[in-house]
Amino acid sequence: MPSEDPRVILTFVWVEHGKEHWETAIHEGLNRFLDNRREAGKEVGYTRIEMQRVISHPIDTDEYAVRYNMTRALEEAFRNHESNTESVA
């Protein structure tokens, strides 16, 4: 399931084998982030994301947690980028 936005490229370069089963949840978290940005009127320009690792626990981590953490990590990264861009302007 690729990103719904053709300007956003998500690749996987796993440093640990056996984590590939999280790829669908990662894509879903990315797409949720993109939907939230569109709803807020904040389009995402060209972005490339390279996933290397999902830190997970066999009991406590599920697809919801991976989707949630992907969405929140992107929100934080873009919030930090926006604040850095505003301070330069």
Side-chain angles (χ1 to χ4, degrees):
M1 173 197 321
S3 165
E4 294 172 358
D5 189 323
R7 296 170 296 172
V8 178
I9 299 169
L10 174 61
T11 59
F12 297 92
V13 183
W14 296 109
V15 295
E16 300 175 77
H17 295 290
K19 302 292 183 168
E20 295 84 0
H21 64 283
W22 296 124
E23 290 182 14
T24 298
I26 291 167
H27 277 288
E28 291 171 356
L30 169 61
N31 289 329
R32 180 173 292 152
F33 168 75
L34 294 172
D35 289 344
N36 292 344
R37 293 282 295 191
R38 274 195 272 300
E39 289 174 13
K42 297 179 178 182
E43 291 292 322
V44 174
Y46 178 80
T47 302
R48 184 177 185 342
I49 302 166
E50 182 179 285
M51 290 294 301
Q52 296 181 345
R53 173 176 284 153
V54 171
I55 300 171
S56 61
H57 185 275
I59 295 172
D60 294 334
T61 305
D62 59 10
E63 289 187 10
Y64 173 83
V66 173
R67 277 192 307 270
Y68 178 86
N69 287 324
M70 181 66 178
T71 302
R72 296 302 166 257
L74 288 168
E75 288 171 351
E76 182 177 342
F78 274 73
R79 188 171 35 252
N80 290 340
H81 175 73
E82 288 170 345
S83 67
N84 288 338
T85 304
E86 290 171 1
S87 64
V88 172

